[in-house]
Every structure is written in C-alpha cells, then in structure tokens.
Amino acid sequence: MSVTSRCRCFGRAEKVFLLTLSLLVMDMRSLSTSAQHNQHPGQQHGQVLSAETLRQCSNLVHQAVDAGSKGDMATARERLEQSVVLCPNDPTALGNLGYIYAVSGDAMRAKDLLQRSLGSQSNVPEPWVNIGNVLKNEQDENPLPVEEKDMSLVRRCYQTALRLQADQMDALANMAGLSAMDRDWERTAVLAERSLAIGPSEEAFCALMKALDNTCAWYHPRRDLATLFRLLEAKAREAVARPSIGLISRMCYNAGTAALITDLPPELSLLVSRGEMAIVNSNITRLPQQGLGWSLLPGERVKLAYVSGHFLDHPMMQMMKGMFRLHDTTRVHVICFATSQSDNSPLRQSAEESCEEFYDVHQQSDRQVALSINGHNPQLLVNLYGFLDKSRNGIAAHSPAPVQLNHRWCASTGAPWIHVHVTDKHTSPPEFRHLYTERLSIMARTYLVNDHVHSYPSPADGPAWMR
C-alpha cells in the first residue's frame, strides 16, 4: 500500500488548492508519452544503481508506509526523503513524498515531486493514485455539499492507475469510495471486495459496509460490526477533539447513516453526531448577538422560520404540505427559506404559496443564509434537516435565532446550538433521554407530521386500502 492512502487519515491539506490548479493545467497524456525518454527508476545520471541501493530504497519506503499508518508523518517524510536521495527517480517514493508535502501545505514542493514521479515512470500506478489523493483532499476541504463537488479529475487519476494495474489495491479502494458518494452500491461493493481481497484497507472496508447497509445485506459474511464500531468511535473522537472540514469524508459513516443502522449502539450514534457537528462548528463564525431576542409587542405575532433543502417533490413535502398552510396566521408569521433550487413541482408551488414569506437561498453560503434569517428577527427557527441528504447544518450553527428546533430527524443532532428536539414517546422513550443533547418536545401522538387527511379527504378518494 502506498503511504498516501493511509496519510489521508492524519493530515489536512490547507493549501492544496494551489497545487490543484497547477495539476489541472498539466497535460497528463504528454507526461505519459514523454516518460519513455526519462531515466529508469534504477538509473541515476545515466548510471545503473546497484541492487543493494535499490534494496535500501525499498526498505526505506516500507518503513515510511509503516510510520505513516501509525500517524508518525515526521518519520514517514524522513524515510522517504532518504529514499529519494538514494534513488532520485523512484516514482513511488517521489509520489508518496509529494503527497505528504501536499497535505502539510507545501504546494510548490509537492508539485515538483509529483511531476517528477510521473515523469520518472508514468506507467507505474502509484503516482496516479497519489495525485488522485491530493486532488480528492482538495475537494474534501471544499465546504460544498458532496453532490456538488467535482471529482471528475480525481476519478480519472484512479482509473488511469487501474488501467496500468487492474489489481492496484488503493485505486480500487478509492474508486469504491467515489462510487459510494454516487450511491452506486452495486459497483461500490464490487470494487471494495476486489480491494479487500488484495489486502486490508480502511477506505474499502467503510465503502463496503455502506454498500451492505444500503442494500439491506445485514448478514453478509464481510459485515464486520466489531471493526466498524471501532473505526466509527476512533473517527468520531478524533473529530470531536480536532475538528476540521476535511474529516467529513473520513468518518466512515456519516451521522445520518449511523443513526439509521439498527444494530449500532445508540451511544455510538450520538458520538458520531457530535463528531460531525463539531466539524460543522469548526468552520463557523458566530453571528453578532444583536437582533436576537424574545420580545413581542402587544398584538405582535411570533416569527417562525423554517429552513430546508426539501421544499421539492420530496417525502418531506409530501407529508408536511398541509402543515405550512394550517398555521394560525393571527398568531404566527411563517417565513420559509429553501436551500435547494426549485424543481417547479406542485409541492414546491404549494410551499411558496403556504408561507407568508418564501425565499430561495440555494445560491447563498451557510453564513449568508443565516444572516438572511437573522435579518427577519425570528423568535424560532425550525431546522428541517437533521442528517438527511441536502442537509446544511452550518446554517443553524451560526445561531440566527434565539431558539432553534430540530424537526423531521429521528435522533439527536448532537449540536449545542439546537435547543429543542421535536419527537414522541415511541421514537424517544424516556429511558433514552440521556442520548439527546436537546430538550425534548414530546408530541401527543407522533412527531411525524403527515397530510393524509387533506390529501384523501374521504375514504372514497383515497387509495384502495382506505376503502
């Protein structure tokens, strides 16, 4: 295994953006062609290196791999630098060292080493894996939602590595991770199993566990819960202790997946939620507190704001569309903020017509949306995200309202800025109260609002099972 596939768990690429720009303009095909005219890794200044020197270089690289897998990046870099001195054209040592410089923020040095790695021998897969890892790190640091991140060049690098060596373990594992991001679970499982058949890989293991859980293959022989729990706990504790946006992609499971796995210990689910929210919070600058308060003049209505990415033809709106139009407008002023672009569906139209004020803010950053909400001075903000897809929990993390509620999500958010969790006694039994960081608002029947009464006003108008 190359050092880089493990290094991604230990460093943060704070300045990889500069490196990425330089790599984007590289003509990789010309590099591959020109490599034929470069020296062989076993040559130095036209002279063939001795077998002993090559053996020393190989040992140093293996020592670097061992140090990197244990988180000792200083030793890993030292061993790789020693290897590059002895074997200046070794693509594996050059590529791994380039990746280490990239994640430490030295973009210029990293670019030089990665270019030398490809130029030395571009028909070796490891340099392509290293460059793919660097580009992926840059995307991991990007605060955009996962579905908006551009992984095309990352994918191209891994695919090139696999064309050169069909059983390259790290490329298979990383391609499995990309397929999991695309929710292509069948391909994820195939790639992950191919990687794991070659050797152990955290990336491949996590990708396979996601694929198995999302396809309900709970009794698959490779579904190793003990290892999964151990990894989840380690990553969540790391996120709580040293949160950074780049850790999101390395959490193995996100909090949404963790909460929905029935055999995951609830304490671990809460820890994963806290870890994810700690990462969200690490990128937040709190809004000024002026304008936040709970004071109503005589006759003034409560301002109630909703923020969601699902004001669309989505199960949330299918169930909740009646709720927005049934607010008592003599007491409540409803303002809705949509963080997804309109799909022009009847449900989107219903939301726009049911809220007194409706704002499409999908092009705004989390902070800009929070400022927009705060500018309306609401007393209450209902966060209709939890850890669903299209979630943007960074908005509520800015604390744009004095009281903020979590609704539509079945478990605790683990976020100190969410004050109230809307639930019921069946979803949140009293004996599990300690697993919530929020105060519980217990609904009489169910927290899960639905619109069946208005969608099917009489049994004759409803589906066959209602008749």
Side-chain angles (χ1 to χ4, degrees):
M1 177 182 293
S2 65
V3 172
T4 57
S5 63
R6 295 183 182 273
C7 288
R8 290 195 298 126
C9 300
F10 304 103
R12 179 180 180 185
E14 298 176 350
K15 300 179 182 177
V16 174
F17 180 69
L18 294 175
L19 172 60
T20 303
L21 289 180
S22 67
L23 289 171
L24 285 172
V25 299
M26 288 170 59
D27 186 341
M28 294 182 177
R29 286 175 296 183
S30 66
L31 272 174
S32 299
T33 303
S34 64
Q36 300 172 10
H37 307 290
N38 283 289
Q39 292 179 326
H40 186 274
Q43 293 180 334
Q44 181 177 3
H45 306 301
Q47 296 181 348
V48 178
L49 298 176
S50 68
E52 175 61 23
T53 300
L54 292 174
R55 187 188 63 78
Q56 291 178 23
C57 292
S58 178
N59 287 339
L60 287 167
V61 171
H62 281 101
Q63 291 171 25
V65 169
D66 183 60
S69 66
K70 297 174 181 176
D72 186 356
M73 303 315 298
T75 299
R77 181 166 62 181
E78 180 183 342
R79 296 293 182 268
L80 289 169
E81 287 175 338
Q82 292 171 355
S83 179
V84 168
V85 169
L86 289 173
C87 303
N89 300 312
D90 182 357
T92 302
L94 288 167
N96 285 330
L97 185 57
Y99 182 78
I100 287 180
Y101 274 106
V103 297
S104 66
D106 191 341
M108 187 174 297
R109 177 70 171 146
K111 174 188 173 182
D112 174 64
L113 288 163
L114 289 169
Q115 286 179 324
R116 285 172 57 192
S117 175
L118 275 180
S120 177
Q121 196 172 10
S122 62
N123 62 347
V124 173
E126 283 76 14
W128 294 100
V129 175
N130 283 310
I131 290 181
N133 289 345
V134 169
L135 295 174
K136 185 176 184 298
N137 245 26
E138 192 273 330
Q139 290 297 321
D140 288 344
E141 295 291 329
N142 191 328
L144 284 173
V146 170
E147 61 270 15
E148 296 180 25
K149 295 184 178 184
D150 183 5
M151 293 293 183
S152 57
L153 191 56
V154 177
R155 195 182 308 273
R156 180 181 167 190
C157 290
Y158 296 149
Q159 288 171 339
T160 301
L162 289 174
R163 281 197 296 270
L164 294 169
Q165 182 183 334
D167 62 349
Q168 213 292 331
M169 185 182 73
D170 295 322
L172 288 168
N174 294 338
M175 281 296 290
L178 293 180
S179 296
M181 290 173 62
D182 296 336
R183 304 185 69 80
D184 184 347
W185 301 120
E186 184 175 351
R187 180 165 173 76
T188 298
V190 169
L191 291 167
E193 292 210 81
R194 283 177 59 191
S195 177
L196 291 169
I198 301 167
S201 164
E202 184 178 302
E203 179 93 10
F205 174 80
C206 289
L208 180 59
M209 293 302 102
K210 292 175 187 176
L212 296 179
D213 280 316
N214 278 278
T215 55
C216 305
W218 295 303
Y219 302 104
H220 192 282
R222 279 196 178 273
R223 191 166 184 262
D224 182 352
L225 290 180
T227 301
L228 175 62
F229 295 171
R230 188 164 57 250
L231 274 175
L232 283 174
E233 181 174 3
K235 297 299 181 185
R237 291 193 183 282
E238 180 185 0
V240 171
R242 295 179 297 279
S244 70
I245 192 69
L247 281 173
I248 281 285
S249 69
R250 300 195 287 274
M251 287 284 286
C252 194
Y253 276 23
N254 60 29
T257 304
L260 297 175
I261 298 174
T262 55
D263 45 11
L264 191 71
E267 292 82 3
L268 182 53
S269 176
L270 176 59
L271 178 62
V272 173
S273 296
R274 282 178 163 158
E276 189 163 323
M277 285 305 195
I279 294 170
V280 170
N281 194 41
S282 69
N283 203 37
I284 295 300
T285 302
R286 289 282 181 273
L287 296 183
Q289 291 302 299
Q290 60 266 26
L292 297 179
W294 187 281
S295 59
L296 295 175
L297 298 174
E300 186 180 6
R301 297 180 295 166
V302 172
K303 284 189 177 180
L304 173 61
Y306 290 92
V307 60
S308 177
H310 297 122
F311 289 117
L312 307 165
D313 187 357
H314 182 274
M316 186 205 82
M317 273 302 296
Q318 292 167 12
M319 298 185 73
M320 296 185 72
K321 64 179 182 180
M323 187 193 77
F324 296 102
R325 64 173 177 265
L326 290 174
H327 285 88
D328 184 350
T329 56
T330 65
R331 301 173 59 192
V332 181
H333 182 156
V334 178
I335 312 168
C336 294
F337 296 85
T339 57
S340 290
Q341 187 174 9
S342 175
D343 60 354
N344 298 313
S345 64
L347 287 171
R348 174 63 170 237
Q349 183 178 354
S350 173
E352 293 176 357
E353 294 173 351
S354 300
C355 303
E356 289 187 63
E357 297 181 57
F358 189 97
Y359 299 97
D360 184 333
V361 293
H362 79 275
Q363 292 185 318
Q364 296 182 17
S365 68
D366 288 354
R367 183 171 179 80
Q368 288 171 330
V369 176
L371 285 167
S372 297
I373 294 171
N374 182 241
H376 288 80
N377 197 25
Q379 283 82 24
L380 295 166
L381 172 64
V382 180
N383 191 52
L384 292 172
Y385 286 123
F387 296 104
L388 295 168
D389 65 308
K390 302 183 187 299
S391 64
R392 289 180 58 180
N393 288 304
I395 295 169
H398 285 88
S399 298
V403 179
Q404 303 190 145
L405 297 84
N406 168 49
H407 186 37
R408 299 294 299 180
W409 183 246
C410 55
S412 175
T413 63
W417 56 84
I418 298 294
H419 310 109
V420 179
H421 176 79
V422 181
T423 185
D424 57 61
K425 63 181 181 181
H426 305 289
T427 307
S428 306
E431 60 268 28
F432 290 111
R433 175 66 188 86
H434 64 287
L435 298 173
Y436 292 85
T437 58
E438 310 89 350
R439 296 184 63 177
L440 299 185
S441 178
I442 306 293
M443 299 293 101
R445 295 182 179 178
T446 175
Y447 83 97
L448 203 58
V449 177
N450 67 70
D451 198 52
H452 297 334
V453 171
H454 300 94
S455 298
Y456 310 108
S458 71
D461 297 322
W465 62 265
M466 290 185 64
R467 298 173 191 163

